[in-house]
Amino acid sequence: MERTDWTDSSGPHSSSPPAVVPRLLGREQAVSRLLALDGRGELTTDHVRLAASSAGVSVRTVWRWLDAARHGRMGPVPRERFRITDELHARLAAWCGNAAALHRELLGEYAAATSEGREVDPAPSLATLHRAIRLDLNAGQRAALAGGERARRRHDVHLRRPKQWRNACWEADHKHAPVEVLLDGELVFPWVTWFIDTATNAVPGAAITPHQPSRDAILAALRIALSRDEGPDGPYGPVGGLPSLVRIDRGADFLSATVADALGHFAVPVQPLPPYRPDLKGTVENLNLCVEKMFFASLPRYTRAPSAELRPGARNSFIDESAPLEFTVFVRLLLEWITWWNTEHTCQALAGRTPLQAWQADPTPVEDVDRGQLWAFTLQDDGRVRTLTTSGVRWRSRYYVGEWMHGRADAGVKVRIRYLPHHDHEIEVFDAACGTHLGSAYLADAASAEQRRALRRTKDAEKRRLARALAAASCHTRQRFAAVTSAVQPKRLGTVTALEAEAELARERQAVLATRALPDLIPPREPPASWARPVQPPLMPARSAPAPRTRSD
């Protein structure tokens, strides 16, 4: 039987030179040409003999190819074999890719059909089933049987976006730093929010928070990214300006109205990507991978370091015992790494240049933002008009004051406030009529740092006490059952006497009644004699029932 593959039939140790055209493709080419000659009446035996010589077959074989082509078959007769149908594919997925379990199921069905006298095809062997799975299912489909969609995507081919110019598109993302750092005596995991230019791999702006970031971190990073300095000694650097497009994922914070409004005022469109598709923003995902392998892995308290423990999820004990970095030190080192990435790190995709060199070599004009406009665009307006009083400006049931308010209070001045999200210690006050910035206002009677720390310690102690109480309650209420060795109902462990159960129920009833009691309720006293009392109407005498009337009446 003829081979159906597109490769040369000669073995790897064959002395004959490899064929210029694979055998199956050569057959199709020869048959197509000979059929065309036959249709015009120009086909001769010399044409057939030449095609047979090139294909390495006999003349009779070529005539047989032509006869099959006239009946609609251009290739060899397909080999009959066992194939994976849609039904078998679904059953294999139900077994999570366990071919042996599917084989046992097919054997059982064949045995049941044989015992009932029905004629069915015999079940294939396990080797035949494995071979059919390899031939009919690709690597991604086989991986999805056991690992699901996440495993299947590892075998996908992702296209590259076309090369663009600087500031043509930015990508933004959050990155969780798997490093424990010290902040006010507590260990926290920082987060970094940054933007990256897809054309030059330059990072124009970033913001670091000791907790999961939200709108304020995005606005702070975006404000740094939009700002830039022409000189190399400026605080922002030469990378930045207005992008033509910002590509983000479908995070709730990135899709918030504040961020969309901030970018919309500069006519910068935001392209939200489908969820769970990191390949669509590969530039920033590559940056997230690089910062972990090149920077986070070198820091103390790195939680993803290899461990010698056999227990799953165990961390390296040496790293756990090392002294953690202060949060300020971590931020300084991360900003230094970003500077190194922009100015010293070379990339093969940039032809051996640094991101800053690729940025400066791009002749595309950069559109800068006016510093005066950029100053207030990251602030959020609460949408209400307030009156300036002698106590200051009231916002969220608290008063804010500023030095510029002297001489303007209690005059009916209408103002509007703008604030940075989650930064309620300071607000910016604007004139409600013309929108002029009046000045900054700070929280009046703010608690000191020591008071805030004491309040936080009290809240933490209360949280730990509640956690211990819940843990103790769960130990008392946890239900335990005896192990079974057969299909029977397990017995509940832990016995309680009838007297103990009745005492516990009585205590519970008393506790419920105690919650309903009103301990502060005081019965009213007798009113003084001088008070006027309502006059009660006299009681009417009761009427007696009428005597029954006799016939004589």
Side-chain angles (χ1 to χ4, degrees):
M1 183 174 291
E2 300 178 21
R3 295 174 59 88
T4 59
D5 57 341
W6 290 80
T7 59
D8 184 36
S9 59
S10 59
H13 303 287
S14 176
S15 59
S16 60
V20 178
V21 181
R23 184 171 182 177
L24 184 57
L25 180 59
R27 171 177 176 173
E28 293 185 1
Q29 293 177 352
V31 170
S32 299
R33 171 61 176 168
L34 296 178
L35 284 178
L37 293 174
D38 189 26
R40 297 194 300 266
E42 301 175 0
L43 181 62
T44 63
T45 306
D46 294 337
H47 294 112
V48 176
R49 187 178 297 109
L50 180 59
S53 176
S54 299
V57 296
S58 64
V59 176
R60 184 176 180 179
T61 300
V62 176
W63 284 114
R64 190 167 59 250
W65 289 354
L66 283 174
D67 184 62
R70 293 188 180 99
H71 291 83
R73 181 171 59 83
M74 298 293 293
V77 179
R79 179 182 301 174
E80 294 292 336
R81 65 174 181 87
F82 180 78
R83 297 181 181 275
I84 300 297
T85 61
D86 293 340
E87 179 188 358
L88 291 178
H89 191 187
R91 295 170 65 177
L92 188 63
W95 282 107
C96 299
N98 191 342
L102 178 60
H103 181 251
R104 289 193 296 268
E105 188 176 286
L106 294 177
L107 290 178
E109 293 177 356
Y110 177 72
T114 304
S115 61
E116 295 175 0
R118 293 184 286 110
E119 294 184 0
V120 294
D121 295 333
S125 63
L126 183 58
T128 302
L129 182 60
H130 277 291
R131 183 166 54 251
I133 293 174
R134 288 194 304 269
L135 293 177
D136 297 336
L137 303 181
N138 57 40
Q141 293 172 335
R142 296 196 299 269
L145 293 175
E149 178 64 17
R150 184 183 295 271
R152 188 200 64 80
R153 287 190 177 183
R154 298 192 185 102
H155 300 270
D156 284 347
V157 177
H158 305 293
L159 301 177
R160 289 183 176 270
R161 296 186 183 272
K163 194 67 176 178
Q164 294 179 316
W165 55 94
R166 62 181 181 182
N167 279 351
C169 178
W170 286 0
E171 292 180 356
D173 199 8
H174 297 311
K175 172 59 181 175
H176 170 255
V179 179
E180 292 179 337
V181 299
L182 193 63
L183 177 62
D184 291 341
E186 297 181 359
L187 293 176
V188 296
F189 289 95
W191 287 72
V192 55
T193 303
W194 47 20
F195 292 81
I196 185 172
D197 181 56
T198 58
T200 62
N201 290 346
V203 180
I208 301 97
T209 54
H211 49 73
Q212 189 168 2
S214 57
R215 297 175 299 170
D216 57 339
I218 302 173
L219 293 177
L222 186 58
R223 181 176 177 178
I224 298 297
L226 296 178
S227 305
R228 77 184 197 99
D229 299 300
E230 291 292 347
D233 300 332
Y236 300 106
V239 180
L242 274 177
S244 301
L245 175 68
V246 176
R247 190 179 297 128
I248 60 177
D249 57 9
R250 289 187 177 271
D253 44 6
F254 274 119
L255 290 180
S256 63
T258 304
V259 179
D261 182 69
L263 293 173
H265 276 78
F266 291 106
V268 176
V270 177
Q271 180 185 4
L273 301 175
Y276 306 106
R277 290 298 304 272
D279 55 291
L280 297 181
K281 52 183 180 70
T283 306
V284 71
E285 292 294 342
N286 178 68
L287 178 63
N288 293 338
L289 179 62
C290 290
V291 71
E292 180 165 352
K293 300 299 182 182
M294 303 169 65
F295 176 67
F296 293 154
S298 63
L299 299 180
R301 295 275 182 161
Y302 176 63
T303 59
R304 296 179 183 174
S307 175
E309 300 291 337
L310 297 179
R311 180 170 52 88
R315 297 189 304 178
N316 197 321
S317 58
F318 172 76
I319 296 181
D320 288 344
E321 296 176 357
S322 58
L325 294 175
E326 292 285 345
F327 180 75
T328 55
V329 177
F330 173 82
V331 173
R332 177 177 58 83
L333 294 178
L334 180 56
L335 294 179
E336 291 177 356
W337 185 86
I338 294 176
T339 303
W340 171 85
W341 172 274
N342 288 338
T343 59
E344 300 182 24
H345 172 66
T346 59
C347 180
Q348 184 179 2
L350 301 177
R353 298 176 297 177
T354 64
L356 181 59
Q357 292 173 348
W359 175 275
Q360 294 174 343
D362 195 330
T364 305
V366 178
E367 185 178 0
D368 292 320
V369 183
D370 185 14
R371 293 291 178 86
Q373 298 177 359
L374 188 60
W375 172 81
F377 107 101
T378 55
L379 302 178
Q380 183 174 354
D381 193 341
D382 70 337
R384 291 181 54 187
V385 177
R386 289 173 167 80
T387 303
L388 181 61
T389 64
T390 55
S391 300
V393 178
R394 185 176 177 84
W395 179 56
R396 292 182 177 176
S397 303
R398 297 186 291 184
Y399 283 98
Y400 291 79
V401 297
E403 295 180 357
W404 57 271
M405 295 181 181
H406 296 295
R408 300 187 182 184
D410 203 15
V413 178
K414 301 298 182 180
V415 298
R416 298 174 68 99
I417 66 169
R418 302 188 69 184
Y419 61 95
L420 191 64
H422 306 289
H423 292 254
D424 54 357
H425 64 284
E426 177 185 3
I427 60 176
E428 302 295 335
V429 185
F430 296 80
D431 193 306
C434 59
T436 305
H437 179 239
L438 301 178
S440 302
Y442 303 92
L443 182 64
D445 195 19
S448 63
E450 181 60 32
Q451 289 175 331
R452 291 195 299 268
R453 284 193 293 268
L455 180 61
R456 187 174 64 252
R457 287 194 298 267
T458 303
K459 291 182 178 180
D460 292 342
E462 180 65 19
K463 181 176 66 175
R464 290 191 296 269
R465 186 196 64 79
L466 180 59
R468 289 194 298 268
L470 292 177
S474 63
C475 292
H476 292 296
T477 59
R478 184 180 304 166
Q479 299 292 335
R480 294 185 177 275
F481 297 88
V484 297
T485 57
S486 59
V488 295
Q489 188 71 14
K491 294 182 179 180
R492 192 184 303 271
L493 299 179
T495 57
V496 180
T497 63
L499 184 60
E500 291 174 347
E502 186 61 31
E504 185 65 26
L505 293 175
R507 283 194 298 269
E508 180 64 23
R509 286 193 294 268
Q510 292 177 1
V512 173
L513 293 177
T515 58
R516 298 179 181 179
L518 301 176
D520 298 332
L521 181 61
I522 302 176
R525 295 178 299 176
E526 186 69 19
S530 59
W531 286 15
R533 297 172 179 268
V535 179
Q536 297 182 358
L539 298 177
M540 299 295 294
R543 294 182 178 180
S544 58
R549 301 178 65 178
T550 60
R551 181 171 298 181
S552 61
D553 294 338

